[in-house]
Amino acid sequence: MFETVRSMIAKQLKVDESTITRDSRLIDDLHADSANIMVMIMDLEDQFGIVVEDDQIMKMKTVGNVVDYIESHQ
């Protein structure tokens, strides 16, 4: 799961996939902005067949948070 999410985030944010860890912070480390995060969420919803509640988006601070959310909602 982590590898798939990491690949999607790397492609979206145009960063080297090898630099992304579970602890990478989306905004502080990977320099995502709100538009990047919204597109990422929509892509993840399509890819994994889930719906991310709006109040949960703000809780997704790290790549690990995103992976954990997806794993718990599949």
Side-chain angles (χ1 to χ4, degrees):
M1 177 67 63
F2 168 70
E3 290 79 12
T4 303
V5 172
R6 176 176 64 180
S7 177
M8 292 175 72
I9 291 172
K11 181 183 280 187
Q12 151 113 50
L13 298 179
K14 297 175 178 57
V15 297
D16 184 352
E17 191 172 318
S18 68
T19 65
I20 300 174
T21 67
R22 284 185 61 90
D23 294 328
S24 296
R25 295 170 294 176
L26 296 171
I27 295 172
D28 296 333
D29 298 329
L30 302 176
H31 309 291
D33 61 23
S34 58
N36 295 134
I37 291 174
M38 291 311 299
V39 170
M40 177 192 73
I41 295 297
M42 290 186 294
D43 288 349
L44 292 169
E45 288 176 330
D46 290 344
Q47 173 78 23
F48 296 104
I50 61 171
V51 174
V52 179
E53 302 298 328
D54 291 343
D55 65 327
Q56 295 300 309
I57 295 171
M58 297 307 293
K59 295 178 183 176
M60 294 184 191
K61 305 257 186 241
T62 68
V63 174
N65 294 152
V66 174
V67 171
D68 293 344
Y69 183 88
I70 293 167
E71 289 177 343
S72 68
H73 287 83
Q74 280 194 307

